[in-house]
Amino acid sequence: MAKKVLSRHINPTAEKELWAKSAGRCQFNGCNRILYKSPVTQEPINISEKAHIYSFSEDGPRGWSEELEADQTQINDIDNLMLLCHDCHKTIDKDIDGDKYSADLLKKWKQEHEQRVFIASNIVIDKTSHVVLYSANIGDEKSPINKSQAFQAMFPDKYPVSDIPISLSTSIPFTDKDKIFWETEVQNLEVSFREIFLPKIKENNPSDFSIFAMAPMPLLIKLGSLFTDKISVDTYQPIREPKTWRWQEEPKNFEFIVTNDEEYEKEPVLILSLSGKISRDRIYEVVGNDVNIWEVTVPDGFLHNDFMRSKAQLSLFRKEIRKLMVQINEKHSKKPLKIFPATPISCAIELGRVRMPKSDMQWIIYDQNNKANKFIEAITIGEAK
């Protein structure tokens, strides 16, 4: 078949569609450079190049497909074009044989880029959320949180307001064996909430938050108590297998089990035996035997540190804790409640969020201290009634 003389002219409609689908950014995987302004002066300028996936000439980089052999008029169709910056265009065309940057690979990159633009542009304003990262020393261990993993866990249900998350992490030279550690961390949370979060909540800018945290349980409970359940919050859980912050499917036959001693004249104690079993002897060692113990646990098959896997489980936890707090308040006339937590991160935060500041009793929260090899009193939330 005789080959026609081809024109490099690209139909303006196809060019506009290419710009729209790429959002004016380089489609080379990992580049994403803005192509409608100078990267130096920020002046409006077109620095894009329309690159052919199968080359314009038959013997150019990546050659021609069988379809193009049969009909060369498709050479300038949008399906054969990518919007690239000059550097990336040079990079792919330097690979003459297409061994590294094959036509199939470039098609894949184009499709992925355009799909990402399509999804992102479909996000409405009420799906934006402030990303909150909070880490504090757990014993001698640092607890960094990867912001990229946090962003991925939110998507596509929520979208970060900014690529810079709100960090509440501190770098204090103390650990949980020091009283000053607890005092400093609590003060940091209170000041941060007052100065950073309250203005955003009042301005509705937006007043939605996605929390990713790794810290000792008492501090997570404190963090949750500041946000309360009146504020729009999504709490995330670090899942070990697979390693992710993204919620998984709800496991079958899951439930929370609540028990108590029914000795209501005694001081109330709440044990959260969720990530592991807390024996009563460990409680009696700290507070004595003259207590009424309420315990929340899970079936034996779920009693481990990776059972919290779905939003449905976390919702069920909130529901059970709300009912439980009403019962404890009524049965114990709002006496201070001592809390001993062995719980997933998300449950600790949500425990704090369901607290009712005006009606709930004072909470005294304990933490397992490995140096002392026992629970120690860590922080107090609320005033004695």
Side-chain angles (χ1 to χ4, degrees), residues 291-338:
V291 292
N292 178 49
I293 292 182
W294 300 71
E295 184 175 31
V296 181
T297 188
V298 292
D300 289 343
F302 293 100
L303 196 60
H304 55 78
N305 61 8
D306 202 27
F307 81 85
M308 179 56 64
R309 308 183 67 77
S310 74
K311 294 180 74 172
Q313 287 174 288
L314 193 58
S315 176
L316 180 60
F317 175 77
R318 284 193 297 267
K319 180 180 177 181
E320 294 296 336
I321 288 295
R322 285 189 181 102
K323 292 191 299 184
L324 179 59
M325 286 304 164
V326 170
Q327 290 179 289
I328 297 176
N329 272 318
E330 290 178 349
K331 297 295 185 181
H332 294 279
S333 302
K334 298 187 178 180
K335 294 178 182 177
L337 175 65
K338 296 178 173 66

Side-chain angles (χ1 to χ4, degrees), residues 105-280:
L105 178 63
L106 297 182
K107 285 181 179 180
K108 179 174 179 288
W109 285 358
K110 170 185 170 71
Q111 182 180 24
E112 289 175 347
H113 181 100
E114 292 176 359
Q115 180 66 13
R116 188 169 70 251
V117 169
F118 177 80
I119 293 173
S121 60
N122 271 340
I123 296 171
V124 294
I125 191 66
D126 61 1
K127 297 187 77 172
T128 57
S129 180
H130 293 286
V131 180
V132 181
L133 306 184
Y134 175 53
S135 63
N137 295 340
I138 303 176
D140 294 326
E141 299 294 325
K142 304 291 184 183
S143 305
I145 300 173
N146 185 297
K147 77 168 186 177
S148 296
Q149 292 177 358
F151 291 171
Q152 291 169 11
M154 298 168 61
F155 200 80
D157 296 327
K158 291 288 177 71
Y159 198 70
V161 170
S162 167
D163 62 352
I164 302 175
I166 300 171
S167 176
L168 301 181
S169 307
T170 60
S171 301
I172 60 175
F174 308 109
T175 62
D176 54 11
K177 71 179 186 299
D178 305 306
K179 183 178 180 180
I180 193 172
F181 168 82
W182 300 106
E183 294 173 347
T184 303
E185 287 290 346
V186 167
Q187 183 181 37
N188 167 57
L189 290 174
E190 291 176 341
V191 171
S192 296
F193 187 81
R194 184 171 62 250
E195 296 183 355
I196 298 175
F197 297 105
L198 279 182
K200 296 183 185 300
I201 294 167
K202 291 177 180 178
E203 296 169 9
N204 193 27
N205 184 29
S207 55
D208 184 275
F209 303 89
S210 296
I211 298 179
F212 299 81
M214 296 186 72
M217 295 297 114
L219 296 176
L220 297 175
I221 297 171
K222 175 65 179 180
L223 176 64
S225 72
L226 292 170
F227 276 94
T228 78
D229 62 358
K230 294 181 180 179
I231 300 171
S232 178
V233 171
D234 284 302
T235 301
Y236 289 82
Q237 171 69 33
I239 295 172
R240 294 170 182 263
E241 293 293 341
K243 190 175 180 60
T244 182
W245 287 86
R246 187 185 296 276
W247 288 114
Q248 307 293 297
E249 292 184 7
E250 180 183 7
K252 296 179 180 179
N253 303 317
F254 178 81
E255 62 178 339
F256 289 100
I257 303 168
V258 180
T259 59
N260 82 90
D261 295 338
E262 298 186 3
E263 298 178 304
Y264 305 124
E265 72 282 358
K266 296 182 178 182
E267 299 294 322
V269 168
L270 173 61
I271 301 176
L272 297 172
S273 291
L274 301 177
S275 300
K277 186 68 175 179
I278 300 177
S279 71
R280 291 189 169 221

Side-chain angles (χ1 to χ4, degrees), residues 44-112:
I45 185 173
N46 183 353
I47 59 172
S48 71
E49 295 185 4
K50 297 174 284 295
H52 290 88
I53 294 176
Y54 289 108
S55 63
F56 180 78
S57 59
E58 185 177 8
D59 57 354
R62 296 169 300 284
W64 282 357
S65 65
E66 291 182 3
E67 291 82 1
L68 281 175
E69 285 281 357
D71 181 7
Q72 296 102 52
T73 61
Q74 299 178 43
I75 197 73
N76 292 328
D77 285 357
I78 188 169
D79 289 341
N80 193 47
L81 296 173
M82 293 180 74
L83 199 68
L84 299 178
C85 66
H86 173 78
D87 295 348
C88 292
H89 194 177
K90 282 288 187 183
T91 298
I92 65 170
D93 281 0
K94 186 178 179 182
D95 179 30
I96 299 296
D97 297 329
D99 295 330
K100 185 174 183 180
Y101 301 106
S102 66
D104 286 342
L105 178 63
L106 297 182
K107 285 181 179 180
K108 179 174 179 288
W109 285 358
K110 170 185 170 71
Q111 182 180 24
E112 289 175 347

